[in-house]
Amino acid sequence: MKKVHRPFWSYDVPKTEEWLSEMAGQGLIFEKLNRWTRCFYFQEREPEARVYRIAYNKLTSSVLPKMLQTEGWEKAGAAGKWEFISNRQPESAIRTSPVRDGIVRHNRFISYGLYAMIFYFGVILLSFTASMFSAWVLEGGSNVEESPMWIVTYLFMTFVLASVILGIYSVIKIRRTNSELEGTNNLKVPSTDEHFDKQTEKELKRAGRLVKKVKPSWMYSPDKTEQWLEAMEQSGFNLYRVNKIGIIFHFIKGEPRKIAYRVDYQSGPTESYFAIHREAGWSEKFTSFSNLEKWTIWSKSYEEDEKRPQLYSDQSSRLKHAKRIAITYTAIFSPFVAFYIYFIIGNINRADTILDWLSWNSPILFIIALSIFGTIIFRIWAYYGRLRKQTLSLES
């Protein structure tokens, strides 16, 4: 039996499937996987042509669905929730394959942990670099006492740097895999509205018809953002576009319009999510490019005598959705808040001079960061509280 170590196989599932097929063509038939050591085991047999597919399911079964069996698929191995199946038919003749949604969701969950790791270790790396820079440049150098413990510091910082590089590499691999499995490239959805060229925009700006509004944290109070956009429309400022980063709103001064806006958050939406809302008459004015937080601004026009359109017809579903958003952002930002509080308490008494307070790793910078992340958590829970109060008033 041959053993092959492949540590990042799950980050690029299509490539792993191709590799298993190549191994079968060399006479090495996949037998099992040790998911803890990331080792694949193969039996040496006669070379044969096989097509492999990998699936990730919460509920696994020893028997494949009849549809897959009819297509010629058979069990090749399993490890935890990972399932490996193979088919001896040519790939061009295969019409049915297992669903890949489980892999996409699993990869997305892993990405969240990797983002957190990159941030934590990145902060440590930045703090260490800032301390060295401050000591050697801003303070004109410092005396370093010889100690055998310095090797521990250097080894730890090497580990931190390697972790950041590994995390970035893993995130890139996972994003590419998910894009391939979902059949889309980061869901860059084109706007359905007309966009002018840059020269026309400059002329509109000079004429006072193109107005820019900066709103950097609109997504943390979705209901207030919706009210603001609708108020702008009723005042004759029609939303033209939002820049790619999502902080600058461009309005064209025109006629007052009855436009309903909805700000929606989805964790890794599929193309069907956009298709469903488009069919219902909604058009997307902005879609964030980040996989970690996918925000979309939807708009839909309606007449004066019509009821304001709703993206979600059930108010209780909207409330559950708002609670999920609040919990998600609390889980993301709470560790940051805890880290900043710990750093501030440990370093605030050490800042004796103005230079200490102005250095790159000074307590005042972490106090600013703490206020930013703390405000985000407060605003998102305040949104949930307003929506909950509104839901209770409708039910009573």
Side-chain angles (χ1 to χ4, degrees):
M1 182 173 287
K2 183 179 177 62
K3 181 176 72 172
V4 180
H5 183 59
R6 202 174 176 89
F8 304 108
W9 69 268
S10 61
Y11 296 166
D12 195 342
V13 169
K15 188 174 182 179
T16 301
E17 294 170 344
E18 294 176 4
W19 173 69
L20 291 174
S21 297
E22 292 173 0
M23 296 293 282
Q26 299 172 14
L28 297 172
I29 309 302
F30 171 69
E31 189 71 20
K32 64 178 180 178
L33 165 70
N34 187 322
R35 59 195 177 102
W36 304 113
T37 62
R38 319 288 284 184
C39 288
F40 287 78
Y41 293 84
F42 299 87
Q43 288 284 357
E44 295 185 11
R45 302 178 189 173
E46 291 294 324
E48 57 180 283
R50 285 198 182 194
V51 176
Y52 284 89
R53 288 293 181 268
I54 303 173
Y56 185 88
N57 302 307
K58 291 184 178 180
L59 300 175
T60 58
S61 174
S62 58
V63 181
L64 290 177
K66 290 185 178 180
M67 182 180 298
L68 294 179
Q69 293 183 35
T70 304
E71 196 67 23
W73 292 103
E74 57 185 28
K75 282 268 190 177
K81 298 176 182 179
W82 290 100
E83 184 179 54
F84 297 78
I85 62 176
S86 64
N87 200 320
R88 290 182 170 85
Q89 297 186 77
E91 190 166 3
S92 59
I94 300 173
R95 297 170 298 175
T96 305
S97 295
V99 179
R100 323 288 263 180
D101 292 349
I103 298 177
V104 174
R105 288 192 295 268
H106 173 74
N107 282 351
R108 193 173 294 130
F109 177 78
I110 296 296
S111 296
Y112 295 155
L114 290 172
Y115 279 122
M117 182 187 75
I118 293 170
F119 181 85
Y120 293 147
F121 287 150
V123 169
I124 294 173
L125 190 63
L126 181 62
S127 299
F128 179 79
T129 305
S131 298
M132 297 297 292
F133 180 85
S134 177
W136 290 102
V137 179
L138 298 181
E139 298 178 7
S142 60
N143 295 323
V144 179
E145 297 182 3
E146 294 186 3
S147 171
M149 295 304 294
W150 273 107
I151 188 65
V152 177
T153 302
Y154 293 140
L155 287 175
F156 175 71
M157 295 312 301
T158 301
F159 167 76
V160 169
L161 177 60
S163 298
V164 172
I165 295 174
L166 178 62
I168 295 174
Y169 168 80
S170 300
V171 167
I172 293 174
K173 294 282 288 185
I174 288 175
R175 289 188 64 178
R176 288 177 180 174
T177 297
N178 280 6
S179 296
E180 184 175 348
L181 294 179
E182 291 175 330
T184 181
N185 184 22
N186 292 334
L187 294 175
K188 294 180 180 178
V189 184
S191 174
T192 55
D193 294 337
E194 178 187 3
H195 276 189
F196 302 114
D197 55 37
K198 291 184 178 181
Q199 183 61 35
T200 304
E201 287 190 5
K202 289 181 180 179
E203 293 175 0
L204 289 171
K205 186 176 180 181
R206 283 196 293 265
R209 291 193 57 202
L210 182 62
V211 180
K212 295 181 181 179
K213 298 288 185 180
V214 180
K215 210 171 180 68
S217 56
W218 54 267
M219 67 284 295
Y220 306 125
S221 296
D223 55 338
K224 291 186 177 181
T225 302
E226 295 166 356
Q227 295 169 7
W228 172 66
L229 289 172
E230 292 178 6
M232 292 292 287
E233 291 284 355
Q234 292 174 8
S235 300
F237 291 92
N238 310 139
L239 180 61
Y240 166 54
R241 65 180 177 89
V242 184
N243 73 330
K244 293 182 179 180
I245 301 177
I247 62 174
I248 301 178
F249 289 72
H250 298 256
F251 297 88
I252 291 181
K253 194 172 182 180
E255 298 295 328
R257 301 188 302 183
K258 297 289 289 185
I259 303 288
Y261 283 95
R262 277 288 178 259
V263 177
D264 193 33
Y265 170 86
Q266 294 290 325
S267 177
T270 60
E271 182 61 33
S272 61
Y273 162 79
F274 293 95
I276 290 172
H277 292 309
R278 289 183 195 136
E279 291 176 0
W282 292 89
S283 61
E284 58 275 10
K285 303 296 293 187
F286 169 77
T287 300
S288 59
F289 59 85
S290 171
N291 282 340
L292 186 60
E293 47 177 17
K294 184 72 72 175
W295 288 94
T296 304
I297 298 177
W298 294 97
S299 69
K300 186 178 182 180
S301 61
Y302 64 104
E303 300 298 331
E304 191 71 37
D305 56 345
E306 291 181 341
K307 189 177 179 181
R308 183 171 178 265
Q310 299 292 330
L311 195 67
Y312 297 101
S313 57
D314 186 7
Q315 184 69 13
S316 61
S317 298
R318 190 183 178 196
L319 181 63
K320 290 179 181 178
H321 183 66
K323 186 176 182 180
R324 182 167 65 86
I325 296 174
I327 292 174
T328 299
Y329 273 85
T330 302
I332 293 174
F333 293 127
S334 289
F336 302 160
V337 172
F339 172 79
Y340 294 142
I341 293 175
Y342 173 79
F343 184 90
I344 292 169
I345 293 175
N347 292 272
I348 195 168
N349 294 328
R350 301 177 185 176
D352 299 325
T353 65
I354 297 178
L355 188 61
D356 293 333
W357 283 97
L358 296 179
S359 62
W360 291 5
N361 61 337
S362 69
I364 193 170
L365 295 180
F366 284 86
I367 291 173
I368 294 173
L370 174 63
S371 64
I372 292 174
F373 287 107
T375 301
I376 290 174
I377 296 175
F378 172 79
R379 290 182 63 184
I380 206 72
W381 278 106
Y383 161 63
Y384 170 73
R386 291 191 299 270
L387 199 61
R388 185 172 183 271
K389 184 178 180 181
Q390 180 183 347
T391 303
L392 292 175
S393 63
L394 293 174
E395 293 176 351
S396 60

